[in-house]
Amino acid sequence: MARVSLTPRRTLVVRLVEAFSRRRFGTVLDPLAATAHHPGVLRGVGLFELSVARWRTLDPVLKHLAIMAAACRIGCSWCVDFGHWEAHHLGLDREKVRLVPVWRDHPDVFTELERQVLAYAEAMTETQPSVTDEMTRPLVARLGEKAFVELTAMVAVENQRSRVNAALGLTGQGFAERCEVPPPGAGARG
């Protein structure tokens, strides 16, 4: 259950953000409703997310796998749920997305590069980051420095999103069910 109400004061800015969210996602996203209690946070996060959406150096599949790995590692059910919806709308392989929490048990489903990205995202997400030179060298070599920096920034962004949403007590809004993707862990070995 959310730790703040999801019914902020309906200022003009909040109504505009709600309209944008309904048009783009079919509903008002709970993180928007929660952060709308603080107009400065809502504005800052919104502008930042618009900027992040324009980062396009890193392959979108790798980016999404990294985002999902961070969200799963933190345990943000809202982010994982929304991540399934995003994957569906990006046309990503549903099986890969479903297996992200247990990717090590399914090496045949993920390419070597995808496994490297998933390991890096998880290592970066640890409370005490456990990123190593041995982990980063092959990624920089395969992705290039610009895409590697974007990968690193995306994992950090998802850490911020997931930690805020989890701390606010936000849970899934049913996005995964809408795109017929089983919830994380359903049918997967844990």
Side-chain angles (χ1 to χ4, degrees):
M1 177 165 199
R3 294 185 175 103
V4 297
S5 79
L6 300 178
T7 55
R9 196 166 65 86
R10 299 205 65 241
T11 64
L12 175 61
V13 170
V14 169
R15 289 193 312 269
L16 290 171
V17 168
E18 287 173 345
F20 170 80
S21 182
R22 278 190 197 95
R23 189 171 50 255
R24 181 147 184 217
F25 306 109
T27 190
V28 175
L29 302 182
D30 286 352
L32 292 175
T35 57
H37 289 288
H38 188 299
V41 171
L42 178 65
R43 188 172 28 262
V45 169
L47 290 172
F48 180 68
E49 287 291 347
L50 289 172
S51 176
V52 168
R54 291 190 297 270
W55 298 350
R56 291 193 173 93
T57 301
L58 182 62
D59 176 273
V61 173
L62 297 177
K63 185 182 296 191
H64 195 71
L65 291 174
I67 287 169
M68 290 298 288
C72 290
R73 181 64 101 192
I74 290 169
C76 177
S77 66
W78 192 93
C79 296
V80 171
D81 177 47
F82 186 72
H84 284 288
W85 180 88
E86 280 188 308
H88 173 75
H89 287 278
L90 290 169
L92 302 183
D93 182 334
R94 292 178 181 183
E95 183 68 3
K96 277 188 181 183
V97 174
R98 186 179 69 79
L99 293 175
V100 165
V102 291
W103 66 269
R104 284 181 176 84
D105 295 338
H106 303 278
D108 53 316
V109 174
F110 299 92
T111 68
E112 178 186 352
L113 181 56
E114 289 169 343
R115 291 189 307 271
Q116 289 172 337
V117 165
L118 289 163
Y120 180 71
E122 287 182 349
M124 220 183 122
T125 301
E126 295 298 325
T127 299
Q128 179 66 41
S130 56
V131 174
T132 65
D133 291 340
E134 292 73 29
M135 180 181 290
T136 60
R137 272 189 218 106
L139 284 169
V140 172
R142 298 268 312 264
L143 299 174
E145 290 179 336
K146 185 175 180 181
F148 177 75
V149 169
E150 185 173 320
L151 170 63
T152 302
M154 282 310 307
V155 173
V157 167
E158 186 54 36
N159 269 262
Q160 184 265 341
R161 291 172 181 153
S162 291
R163 290 178 190 280
V164 167
N165 292 342
L168 290 175
L170 303 180
T171 58
Q173 281 184 257
F175 287 103
E177 291 80 16
R178 281 188 243 161
C179 59
E180 300 174 11
V181 174
R189 292 187 307 137

